[in-house]
Amino acid sequence: ATRTKSADVERADSGIGQMPARKWRNRASETLSSLQAWEAHRPCTDCGERDLPVETDVQNCNQRRADLCEKCRKRRTERKESVLEFVNTEASYGEDLRIIKEEFYLPMQAAGLLTQEQLLGIFSNIQELIDLNENFLEILQEEIDQAFDQGDDDLMTVCIGEVFLEFVNMLPAFQTYCLQQSSSVNMLNALEKEKELLRIFLNVSQNDNTALRRMNLRSFLMAPLQRVTKYPLLLSRIIKATTEYHPDHGSLREAKSRIESHLEHINMKTKQEGNTWTLRSFRQDSKKKREVINIEMRETALKTVGWLREETRFVMEGSLQLAQPPDGQWVKKGSKTLKFQNMQVLLLVNMKRVSESSLESAEPGPVKDAVLVLIRDKNNGKFHLLREPLRLSNCIVSTDPDCDDTFELIEIRREAFVFRDSDRARTHHWFRQIRRYSRELGSWKKRRNALPNIMISTPHTRP
């Protein structure tokens, strides 16, 4: 009896008596029931809804993609098909480019049917397009393979938009080809009538070469035009099947906007050159219109400096107000005495290429040169340069605490310019970026000594 009483005391002092134990067991049972109920109505991992169909068949339940509603399962399937379509059609387009080179260009060159100048006139920058396609397709295929290796059968980790934006420099290459298409076809027609051997070669190739699928050279030369106009449609299909919170959703929309803006720019250039044909038209809006203007300004700036496109980086671009102070008289009265005019300003940096790969070349290499291109507002459909580009290696950039809404750029032994933006914070950002590249190039001390009677080191004195 004594042992039983002591045991009862020990059980009662253990922290859980009979009444609390029963309550705990009831609560645990209720919790388990709640968990089972939640498991039966688990929300969809994509959309968060709880209207998942009840699976009565065990086999169907196992085959069903876990935690996805019917709508999201269908969307994932559509997205996977759209991504694979994008990659597969890119591969087919690349095959057509290789046929142009291997079945037409190289045989015609080896046989001496056309001169090198004539070949360049017909085939334009086809080699550049081939190189871009090979690099682009390689990265796309790596994304697909990596997704499958990681068990991502739906390809949800594949980000087509991000990859497309990494290769956005291929769009100007398409522009070069498209703008020369009309003259290329006219030259081919004239040479085919003039040269009998060329006409025989083209006829035999079309009828006897199985690799050509009985298509003529003109059909293959249209491949780049057809491909660049198909990008928006392919991207739209992927966007439609991609949820808004997917990490690639914003990049997909930006990629689609960029390609549509380039197509509008190509159409504009063809009209300016008097061509009757145009690429597919897209709905105009203010954002695309601004982007078309930016593309044209970049083309003008790149043509002016003469740099390679793949070695050029546009650090900043936009509208600034510019004034040229007369002999420093404005120092006492401030910037209110200056006459400012609106100007489009582009900060270009020439970077040394670190790799042939477009993705790897995005890594910043040594700065070879940096310039400011000053362009007047658009007039009569064309841009006009204010002057030759300002090379920052020959310039000094300074600011004054008393005039913090402006900054000054002085070209050694030549001109001085005062810049400002309507937004003071953006003015400071322009100043920091220009000063940074100015100091990276050349010797700052030598340039400072080259400016006599200017006390740059004095904090309260402005040149």
Side-chain angles (χ1 to χ4, degrees), residues 158-362:
V158 176
C159 296
I160 296 293
E162 291 183 4
V163 178
F164 193 96
L165 292 177
E166 290 286 351
F167 283 87
V168 75
N169 279 339
M170 68 181 176
L171 299 181
F174 277 107
Q175 174 179 315
T176 300
Y177 187 91
C178 292
L179 293 179
Q180 296 182 9
Q181 178 64 19
S182 180
S183 60
S184 298
V185 173
N186 292 336
M187 178 179 290
L188 177 61
N189 294 336
L191 290 174
E192 192 174 1
K193 293 179 181 179
E194 177 184 344
K195 296 179 178 290
E196 183 178 1
L197 289 178
L198 175 62
R199 185 167 60 253
I200 294 174
F201 168 77
L202 294 177
N203 290 333
V204 171
S205 298
Q206 180 179 353
N207 296 324
D208 298 341
N209 192 341
T210 57
L212 303 186
R213 310 186 298 274
R214 291 193 171 275
M215 293 170 57
N216 56 28
L217 175 58
R218 293 175 187 81
S219 299
F220 282 101
L221 291 177
M222 290 295 294
L225 279 72
Q226 295 169 349
R227 184 58 186 171
V228 72
T229 53
K230 196 173 183 180
Y231 279 135
L233 177 61
L234 294 172
L235 291 172
S236 295
R237 291 177 182 174
I238 301 177
I239 293 172
K240 185 178 179 181
T242 303
T243 56
E244 293 184 1
Y245 54 83
H246 190 281
D248 196 39
H249 190 269
S251 298
L252 285 168
R253 288 193 173 276
E254 183 180 355
K256 180 175 179 288
S257 177
R258 295 285 290 273
I259 181 63
E260 289 179 353
S261 299
H262 272 273
L263 292 177
E264 291 293 347
H265 183 249
I266 293 173
N267 285 337
M268 182 186 66
K269 298 293 286 187
T270 55
K271 291 179 182 178
Q272 291 178 355
E273 296 179 6
N275 295 328
T276 57
W277 65 271
T278 57
L279 298 174
R280 177 187 173 192
S281 297
F282 297 90
R283 181 176 59 87
Q284 286 272 14
D285 55 35
S286 57
K287 182 178 179 181
K288 286 187 176 59
K289 186 176 181 181
R290 289 195 302 270
E291 180 61 23
V292 169
I293 295 175
N294 292 339
I295 293 171
E296 189 171 355
M297 285 196 303
R298 294 182 203 124
E299 293 292 330
T300 302
L302 201 59
K303 184 178 180 181
T304 302
V305 298
W307 297 345
L308 295 177
R309 190 184 308 277
E310 58 270 19
E311 295 183 357
T312 304
R313 188 158 64 93
F314 292 87
V315 179
M316 290 192 69
E317 57 187 45
S319 177
L320 284 178
Q321 293 181 338
L322 177 145
Q324 292 183 269
D327 301 329
Q329 297 177 0
W330 67 286
V331 175
K332 296 181 180 179
K333 298 181 180 181
S335 59
K336 295 181 179 180
T337 61
L338 297 177
K339 294 182 179 180
F340 285 91
Q341 57 179 324
N342 292 325
M343 195 71 54
Q344 297 294 333
V345 182
L346 294 90
L347 174 57
L348 283 70
V349 176
N350 193 329
M351 313 291 290
K352 184 178 181 181
R353 298 180 65 183
V354 297
S355 172
E356 293 296 327
S357 171
S358 297
L359 283 180
E360 295 180 3
S361 62

Side-chain angles (χ1 to χ4, degrees), residues 80-81 83-84 87-88 140-158:
K80 178 180 179 179
E81 292 174 352
V83 168
L84 291 177
V87 178
N88 292 336
L140 290 174
Q141 195 59 54
E142 287 180 1
E143 289 278 319
I144 299 294
D145 295 341
Q146 184 178 1
F148 282 130
D149 292 342
Q150 294 176 350
D152 179 18
D153 295 334
D154 294 329
L155 304 181
M156 294 297 291
T157 57
V158 176

